[in-house]
């Protein structure tokens, strides 16, 4: 059947994967999406090498495929990991296939790596193949005529109870007929026949863009007759179709009225011209004219519909083809006949012959005998829609076939099953005895010795590989071995291109030689003379170049294992086969290897050759007969007899007869030559006329096609002009958008520069503020330094006054002592009370102090973190580093100043202690070192209290949280000063 040639399948084969991580509780599935349609594979186990083995296909026509290729529509494949418990899908990666890589020829699958791979540690890949296949799912009855409503539209009154839908064809295999209509209405038998007589101008159905099969294409006509698919014998020539007219007949059981209704329903018979499974053109033959309403012609004679019908290519309106002139239109001659079975067959034959003669008269040629086909069922082998695989070759036309063509045709129809090289007879025969002089006089003969064997030696140069040179070569291989019977070289053809790292199989590289020789001569020759294979580089621009030579030692095949087989006559034969690879050595320069040659040689021994003689050349038959049977010589005359005339002798008469016979033979030969020359000239003239007609029809066809192409070209030019205008408009739009983008970019750049300028100004302002703070700190430092100097001056003045007071008091020791005792007593009571309260509050203070220290540390840390985050947001990295550097420098300066202040204070305390010690020493000297136990106890209590105060102050200072300006440190310093003052006063 003819399938839709414009329907294709895009087939994506998902075979297997590799480098997947094992996930035992998951499945793998691949989803493919193309043109909005999504397909998916069956879930497979999530192993390291999953096996998908699934084909996904999309139906598409060639026009849509071409559009998708122009738009570069991709085929996207997504791989998912599927959890069977929760039905959750996890994306692993995807692959994008290019639709342009899909071809109608089968290609090997490739490995594609997953993009956006979830398993980053694995190089996950999937093996995928993409191809285009012809959609062979055409409907079975694609060539059958579609049902049409009857012209009458009504069932006759006699069949008023019959529904037209019930009028169908039913095959009765036992009776050998087709029944149309219900059985109770079917009482008559009819015969319907269809004859295809001739066809013309069929080449018009083949467009220039259509590709026919590479081998000789076969064409045939196809139609469906009552559900039977019918084809005629295939033919090869479309320009001069030469096929035998064929008639297909079916036997029908029905009635005239039912047949009229059925033919009104099935009003047309579709006939297709096919090549393989493709319809090149079709026509419709109307059947309603067979049984006209009210006509009784079928009761007297067969009714026919005949004529030459025009074949239309498929989808003419869709392809927008121009109409073909009537004189160039492809036509087919068809005759459809219907008759009652009871009419005399002879009248039917005469009528059909007359109709067919009329059809052929329109074609101006005579019909050959018509081949009959009787259709008994739709499954009959004789009516298969598919032509036979090995049809018999068409016969040559007697009017145009010459003797040479017939000989060539006979030669072509009997090909040799294997390519056999030149064959030679063996050694020349020895001189024959004199008894056979009459035989040797007629020609030279060669005799094959009885000890010779019949050998067949075959050489198969398979492939060349491992090219060492750096440039590709276009090579052929050439060799000759005169021992096989011919010194003519044997070459591979055509030249093939060989590149590095590739293996190329050689075309037409097998050759077999049949010859006869002695076994020891064969062995001696194979040992002495190797087979030299020449490697030639073919170049169109330069002379052929000999690149290298390979040496094949033929004696290797003699040492291989022998296998037995039976010859054509049943005799036992032996076969030896040897295969290896040999290198090609450079013919010029250093003996470097160019490439390797793989070959196979086979030696077959068919046994002894029968003794026979081979005629090399013969002389003329008459001369040979005369030499074999010379005339009898008359007896020698007596000397006394009178000598006869030379012209009267028998020898002269025999010679004269011989000369006359030669002249007669020459005249006969010349007449034969002239007749053959005339026949050849007539054959050439007919062939020339035939080819001239073919060329003329082809020219007309080309002119019509070029006219159509010219119209298409004009339309294409108009479309191109419109497209050029659209491109100009699009280009102006692109220029406008480019200008707008440029303005937008400049505006964004200006805004960016303004923001950078503002950020720089903010940074400069921050630096100025920090510098103002620095100057304020400097001023505070100078002020504190001045205060310290004033305090030292006051301290010196007070110290002098204290010394003067001490000198004055030293003059009245009793009063001074009494007052001091009273004062110390009061202070003791007060100190005891303070000591008790201080002891109670010390623990509470320590706890509160620890909690306060922790809270203060957290607050300071939070404050520092917030300040750092604020600075990072407001300032750029370079300014931050600069500010940090300045802040660090200022901090070092402040720390240095604080350390100096602490050093000054420590020095002051040390000086005070020295003064106190000196004062105490002087007091001890003055008092005569008379200390009461009560005074010693009081000094010890003040010293302990002073030590605790100093320790608490130093502990707080070491935490780094407090400084000398804090209130608690100031209070501790005040108490320390009071204790020191009391201690000094007590001393």
């Amino acid at each position: 059947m003819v399938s839709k040639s414009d329907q294709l399948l895009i087939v994506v084969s998902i075979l297997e994967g590799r480098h997947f991580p094992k996930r035992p509780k998951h499945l793998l599935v691949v989803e493919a999406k193309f043109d909005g349609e999504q397909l998916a594979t069956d879930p497979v186990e999530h192993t390291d090498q999953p096996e998908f083995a699934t084909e996904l296909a999309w139906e598409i026509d060639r026009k849509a495929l071409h559009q998708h290729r122009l738009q570069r529509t991709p085929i996207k494949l997504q791989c998912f990991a599927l959890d069977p418990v929760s039905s959750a899908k996890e994306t692993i990666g995807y692959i994008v296939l290019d639709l342009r890589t899909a071809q109608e020829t089968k290609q090997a699958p490739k490995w594609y790596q997953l993009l956006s791979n979830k398993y980053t540690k694995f190089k996950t890949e999937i093996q995928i193949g993409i191809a285009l296949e012809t959609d062979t799912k055409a409907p079975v009855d694609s060539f059958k005529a579609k049902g049409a409503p009857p012209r009458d539209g009504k069932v006759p009154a006699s069949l008023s109870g019959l529904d037209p839908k019930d009028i169908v064809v039913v095959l009765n295999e036992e009776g050998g007929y087709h029944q149309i209509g219900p059985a109770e209405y079917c009482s008559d038998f009819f015969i319907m026949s269809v004859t295809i007589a001739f066809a013309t101008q069929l080449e018009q159905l083949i467009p220039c863009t259509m590709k026919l099969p590479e081998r000789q294409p076969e064409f045939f006509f196809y139609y469906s007759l009552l559900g039977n698919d019918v084809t005629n014998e295939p033919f090869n020539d479309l320009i001069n179709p030469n096929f035998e007219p064929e008639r297909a007949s079916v036997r029908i059981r029905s009635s005239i009225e039912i047949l009229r209704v059925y033919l009104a329903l099935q009003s047309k018979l579709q006939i297709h011209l096919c090549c393989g499974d493709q319809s090149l053109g079709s026509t419709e033959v109307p059947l309603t004219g067979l049984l006209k309403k009210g006509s009784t012609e079928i009761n007297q004679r067969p009714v026919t519909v005949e004529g030459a019908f025009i074949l239309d290519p498929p989808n003419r309106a869709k392809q927008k083809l121009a109409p073909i002139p009537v004189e160039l239109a492809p036509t087919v001659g068809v005759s459809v006949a219907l008759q009652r079975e009871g009419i005399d067959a002879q009248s039917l034959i005469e009528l059909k012959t007359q109709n067919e003669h009329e059809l052929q008269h329109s074609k101006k040629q005579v019909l050959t005998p018509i081949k009959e086909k009787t259709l008994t069922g739709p499954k009959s082998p004789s009516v298969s829609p598919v032509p036979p695989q090995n049809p018999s070759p068409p016969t040559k036309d007697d009017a145009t076939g010459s003797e040479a063509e017939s000989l060539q045709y006979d030669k072509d129809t009997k090909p040799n099953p294997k390519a056999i090289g030149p064959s030679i007879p063996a050694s020349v025969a020895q001189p024959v005895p004199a008894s056979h002089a009459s035989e040797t006089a007629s020609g030279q003969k060669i005799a094959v010795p009885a000890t010779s064997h019949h050998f067949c030696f075959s050489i198969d140069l398979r492939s060349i590989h491992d090219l060492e040179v750096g440039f590709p070569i276009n090579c052929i291989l050439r060799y000759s071995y005169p021992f096989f019977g011919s010194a003519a070289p044997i070459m591979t053809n055509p030249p093939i291109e060989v590149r590095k790292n590739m293996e190329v199989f050689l075309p037409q590289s097998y050759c077999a030689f049949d010859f006869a020789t002695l076994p020891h001569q064969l062995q001696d020759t194979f040992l002495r003379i190797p087979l030299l294979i020449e490697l030639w580089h073919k170049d169109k621009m330069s002379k052929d170049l000999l690149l290298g030579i390979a040496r094949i030692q033929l004696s290797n095949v003699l040492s291989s294992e022998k296998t037995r087989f039976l010859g054509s006559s049943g005799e036992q034969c032996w076969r030896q086969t040897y295969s290896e690879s040999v290198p090609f050595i450079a013919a010029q320069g250093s003996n470097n290897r160019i490439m390797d040659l793989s070959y196979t040689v086979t030696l077959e021994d068919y046994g002894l050759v029968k003794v026979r003689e081979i005629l090399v050349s013969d002389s003329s038959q008459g001369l040979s007969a005369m030499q074999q049977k010379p005339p009898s010589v008359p007896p020698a005359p007596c000397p006394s007899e009178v000598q006869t005339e030379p012209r009267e002798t028998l020898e002269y008469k025999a010679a004269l007869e011989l000369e006359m016979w030669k002249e007669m033979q020459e005249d006969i030969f010349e007449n034969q030559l002239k007749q053959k020359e005339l026949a050849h000239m007539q054959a050439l003239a007919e062939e020339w006329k035939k080819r001239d007609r073919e060329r003329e029809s082809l020219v007309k066809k080309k002119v019509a096609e070029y006219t159509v192409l010219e119209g298409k070209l004009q339309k294409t030019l108009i479309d191109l002009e419109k497209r050029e205008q659209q491109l100009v408009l699009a280009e102006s739009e692109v220029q406008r958008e480019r200008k707008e983008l440029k303005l937008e970019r400049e505006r964004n750049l200006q805004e960016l520069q303004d923001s950078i300028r503002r950020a720089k100004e903010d940074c400069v302002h921050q630096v100025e503020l920090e510098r103002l703070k620095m100057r304020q700190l400097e001023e505070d430092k100078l002020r504190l330094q001045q205060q310290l100097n004033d305090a030292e001056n006051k301290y010196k003045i007070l110290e002098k006054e204290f010394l003067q007071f001490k000198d004055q008091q030293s003059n009245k020791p009793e009063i001074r002592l009494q007052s001091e005792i009273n004062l110390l007593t009061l202070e003791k009571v007060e100190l005891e009370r303070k000591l008790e309260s201080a002891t109670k509050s010390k623990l509470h203070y320590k706890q509160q102090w620890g909690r306060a220290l922790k809270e203060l540390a957290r607050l300071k840390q939070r404050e520092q973190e917030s300040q750092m985050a604020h600075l990072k947001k407001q300032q750029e990295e370079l300014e931050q580093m600069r500010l940090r550097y300045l802040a660090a420098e200022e901090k070092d300066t402040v720390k240095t100043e604080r350390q100096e202040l602490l050093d000054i204070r420590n020095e002051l305390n040390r000086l005070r202690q020295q003064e106190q010690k000196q004062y105490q020493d002087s007091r001890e000297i003055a008092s005569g070192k008379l200390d009461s136990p009560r005074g010693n106890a009081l000094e010890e209590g003040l010293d302990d209290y002073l030590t605790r105060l100093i320790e608490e102050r130093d502990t707080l200072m070491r935490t780094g949280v407090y400084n000398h300006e804090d209130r608690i440190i100031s209070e501790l310093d005040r108490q320390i000063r009071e204790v020191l003052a009391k201690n000094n006063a007590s001393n």
Side-chain angles (χ1 to χ4, degrees), residues 460-726:
D460 185 7
L461 305 178
R462 295 196 171 183
S463 64
I464 51 179
H465 49 86
D466 297 339
L467 180 65
E468 292 292 335
V469 297
F471 57 91
I473 61 175
N474 197 30
C475 66
I476 63 169
L477 301 186
R478 178 180 182 274
Y479 66 91
S480 65
Y481 205 75
F483 178 73
F484 293 146
S486 174
I490 298 171
M491 296 178 289
T492 61
N493 190 46
I496 56 173
E497 184 178 3
V498 185
R499 297 178 180 271
K500 203 165 187 178
N501 298 325
M502 67 181 294
E503 182 178 4
V504 179
F505 291 91
L506 296 167
Q508 300 183 12
S509 59
Y510 178 82
C511 190
F513 303 91
D514 279 301
F515 59 95
T517 187
L518 299 175
H520 68 88
Q521 290 182 353
L522 176 71
Q523 184 175 6
D524 181 62
T525 305
F526 280 5
L527 287 172
R528 287 188 300 103
I529 305 174
L531 177 63
L532 302 181
I533 309 295
E534 299 176 352
L535 175 64
W536 288 82
H537 173 65
K538 303 284 287 186
D539 193 349
K540 296 180 180 179
M541 306 303 295
S542 61
K543 189 178 179 181
D544 295 348
L545 177 63
L546 177 61
L547 296 180
I549 298 176
R551 298 172 63 89
I552 297 179
Q553 189 64 37
L554 299 180
S555 59
N556 293 330
V557 72
L558 300 176
S559 59
S560 60
E561 183 181 0
K562 290 186 177 182
T563 57
R564 181 183 299 175
F565 69 97
L566 295 179
S568 58
S569 302
E571 70 275 9
Q572 288 190 2
C573 307
W574 298 92
R575 180 185 291 117
Q576 293 174 282
T577 304
Y578 181 76
S579 301
E580 71 167 347
S581 294
V582 294
F584 280 102
I585 306 301
Q588 299 178 358
S590 59
N591 294 328
N592 293 331
R593 187 180 69 87
I594 300 176
M595 66 173 72
D596 292 340
L597 168 67
S598 296
Y599 72 93
T600 299
V601 293
T602 303
L603 179 64
E604 296 177 352
D605 186 357
Y606 292 97
L608 295 174
V609 179
K610 297 180 180 179
V611 178
R612 60 182 179 179
E613 291 182 342
I614 301 173
L615 183 64
V616 177
S617 61
D618 290 332
S619 59
S620 64
Q621 184 179 0
L623 183 60
S624 175
M626 289 182 66
Q627 289 176 349
Q628 291 177 4
K629 296 181 180 180
S632 59
V633 179
C638 298
S640 60
E641 295 180 359
V642 179
Q643 189 175 2
T644 61
E645 292 291 333
R647 294 179 182 272
E648 298 297 330
T649 59
L650 294 176
E651 292 85 351
Y652 182 81
K653 291 180 180 180
L656 182 60
E657 290 178 2
L658 179 60
E659 290 297 329
M660 292 176 66
W661 178 83
K662 283 183 179 181
E663 290 180 1
M664 183 179 63
Q665 292 295 327
E666 287 177 0
D667 294 338
I668 294 173
F669 183 68
E670 287 180 0
N671 292 332
Q672 290 178 353
L673 285 180
K674 288 180 180 179
Q675 291 177 0
K676 288 184 178 181
E677 182 181 4
L678 181 60
H680 283 296
M681 291 301 294
Q682 291 177 353
L684 289 175
E686 292 293 334
E687 185 67 22
W688 176 260
K689 291 180 182 178
K690 177 183 175 183
R691 295 189 180 183
D692 196 17
R693 288 194 300 270
E694 293 177 359
R695 285 195 296 270
E696 185 178 356
S697 62
L698 288 176
V699 166
K700 290 181 181 178
K701 177 187 174 184
K702 293 293 182 183
V703 168
E705 291 179 356
Y706 289 158
T707 305
V708 175
L709 290 176
E710 185 178 3
K712 291 183 179 179
L713 184 59
Q714 291 293 339
K715 184 178 178 182
T716 305
L717 288 175
I718 294 172
D719 294 340
L720 287 176
E721 290 177 356
K722 293 180 180 178
R723 190 172 180 182
E724 185 177 1
Q725 293 176 0
Q726 294 175 358

Side-chain angles (χ1 to χ4, degrees), residues 7-11 57-60 131-137:
Q7 289 295 324
L8 297 174
L9 289 176
I10 302 175
V11 181
W58 293 268
E59 293 183 358
I60 192 172
L132 293 176
E133 295 181 3
T134 304
D135 189 2
T136 57
K137 296 180 181 179

Side-chain angles (χ1 to χ4, degrees), residues 130 309 367 371 424 458 480 620-621 627 853:
I130 179 171
F309 299 91
L367 273 173
K371 182 183 294 186
I424 59 169
S458 61
S480 65
S620 64
Q621 184 179 0
Q627 289 176 349
L853 287 177

Side-chain angles (χ1 to χ4, degrees), residues 21 29 41 73 103 178 250 286 318-319 376 384 418 488 725 728 842 857 890 942:
V29 63
T41 64
T73 304
Q103 302 295 331
H178 294 75
V250 289
K318 187 176 180 180
Q319 297 178 11
T376 58
S384 175
K418 68 175 182 178
Q725 293 176 0
V728 171
K842 183 177 181 179
E890 291 174 2
L942 290 174

Side-chain angles (χ1 to χ4, degrees), residues 16 27 203 219 351 462 481 671 879 918 953 974:
E16 60 180 342
L27 300 175
E203 71 276 2
F219 307 93
L351 177 62
R462 295 196 171 183
Y481 205 75
N671 292 332
E879 297 300 329
Q918 290 176 359
R953 185 192 65 183
R974 186 185 61 78

